Amino acid sequence: MAECWGLPELMCNFPQLSSGTLRAMRKGIDGGFRDIVRQWSDVIDAATAPLQLFLNFLEDLFTGAPWPLVMIAVLAVVWAGSRQLKTVIGTAIALVLIGVFGLWSDTMTTLAMVAVATLVAILIGLPLGILMARSNRFQAFLSPVLDVMQTLPSFVYLIPVVVIFGIGKVPGLIAVVIYAVPPMIRLTNLGIRLVDREVIEAADAFGADPRQKLWGVQLPLSLPTIMTGVNQTIMMSLSMVVVASMVGVGGLGKNVLQAITNQYFTVGFLNGFALVAIAIVFDRTSQAFGKRLQKHTEVAHD
Amino acid sequence: MTDPLEDARQRSGIEIRHLYKIFGTNPGRFIKRVKEGMTKEELNDRHNHVLGLQDINLSLPPGEISVIMGLSGSGKSTLIRHINGLIEPTAGEVLYEGRDVVAMKGAELREFRRTKTAMVFQKFALLPHRTVLENTLYGLDIRGVPRAEAEPVARAWIERVGLSGFEENYPNQLSGGMQQRVGLARALANDADILLMDEAFSALDPLIRMDMQKVLLELQQELQKTIIFITHDLDEALRLGDSIAILRDGKLEQVGTGQDIVLRPANDVNRGRVIRASRLARPLAEGEAPPEFRVDGYRVLERVAREMAAAGVAQATVLDRKGVATGVIDSEAILNAMVTPAEAP
Ligand SMILES: Nc1ncnc2c1ncn2[C@@H]1O[C@H](COP(=O)(O)OP(=O)(O)O)[C@@H](O)[C@H]1O
Ligand SMILES: [Mg+2]
């Protein structure tokens, strides 16, 4: 109760809707929402089924395969992306430590989750970014939406996701994707808009149609920027994986969450470090890859 | 073999008729008033629109190099981009082979660009992620010509512009001059009738620029394309142009041969700043000793006059780029050229 300094009631406590009205409103909205979800549950299940399948497949593959095979595969990918020996060695050390401290399986679960989330974010973000670059109107519409998405606390995403999709891996995945997709969209848009106008004009002058321009000029030339978007998307999925464990995503995030609730200091830090190690590996690999892509597009030396 | 001249007579040139271009948010609103005589200044100051081109009428004959010359901002780039429809006019037509380019849309316009035109750009505008070879066959790629067919064509043009051995290099590994050779090869590989060159050599060093002019003239001897060449340099215009059109503030000021332009200039262009000493050099007379004082032939008259005045001489030996004496210039000839029409080159 605020002190009233002798003011009339209206000036003292903010005039709010009566608690009855508020309750009715909440009930109405939540109930309506739930009804809609219940009505559409078949459709929702059907729509998320492929995601579920894909996620399970990758998780089984990562956790089920013999660890030396997984390790070689990961190192090969890091080498193919970065072409840097030090990154490969760093990755090997990180993986060994993760294994030694008993986090191998959880790490693999998280890797599968991040891999699927990144893939889905790219599949959604790339076309939206391209559309955004093509239409100023669409950009004007989508920009504020992305702003809101990026400023909302990540926990907030969980609420509608849980209401619609329930608890589990796939709802977690969806929350991660929603959280991680904005940089992919933004940087695809930016990359395409930054392509040299003269080069675009040359393509036009030779009669390139919009598709030929997109695939032959705009996308290749904006690839370094798009790669930055992929990098940021990966980083954001990794950080969201912890939050998403609240709705049933397993892996390192779940351990961190349990450590917080139970005050397990060591477990919390070990899992945290494993997440950081993965983040660094992803970051270095994708950045080095982006740099290599940029080699030929750099400005001329005279 | 057909006679190329006979051939040219039957080929279509380009006819530009009553072309207007107004830049701004609502050009259509002002076109009528501009046609009735509203000035560029009024349009700009009162209505915030830019009058880019004003009633351009120009015939560009087939198989010839037509030069369009003008100062920066005079509308040269705007004009040349109407020929392949990169810019849409506010009013007017551009006729080629009986069709109006202005009226072409979408697929028809793309087809026209793919088969009838090719363009060379001031800043080269090469595709940085494609090799020299891939850049050269870009036009053919766009047309859907299979690589196996396009590659030999591209290689042949790369050789013609003197870049053999650089096929696998990327543009950023080449000097400016070499990059523009790629630009030229890319345009020629398209085998189009019309070649649009927007200040194609302006970004190059003087020496390399002369080289490229030579390359272009040699190629043109054989190819007889309809070339539209844009420049702001009178020397280049005179060297290349079968005819020259001068554009000023979006209006055509004068159209004619190089001789016409030099002998009967339509306005007070500062001749001292555009004519080069080499143009006035006369050969040494029999037994005449070359003057001691020497000037560079590529300097403009104003500069040469200043140098000669500073040295207190009335005569000077004109050197070419290699430092070889090509003739004599005297202050009387310079003065004459600067105030009255010069001798024909
Ligand atoms: N998109 C545009 N919007 C407004 N003004 C333009 C635009 N393009 C060109 N202009 C103006 O038209 C004039 C001619 O430009 P341009 O054709 O590029 O000249 P040039 O090639 O002879 O240097 C300039 O004054 C320029 O500012
Ligand atoms: Mg220009």
Side-chain angles (χ1 to χ4, degrees), chain B residues 163-180:
Chain B
L163 280 181
S164 297
F166 291 95
E167 287 86 352
E168 304 308 322
N169 285 68
Y170 284 90
N172 71 357
Q173 299 169 315
L174 306 179
S175 69
M178 289 160 91
Q179 288 191 38
Q180 196 56 305

Side-chain angles (χ1 to χ4, degrees), chain B residues 23 50 71-78:
Chain B
F23 291 108
V50 177
L71 299 173
S72 173
S74 58
K76 307 181 296 293
S77 296
T78 308

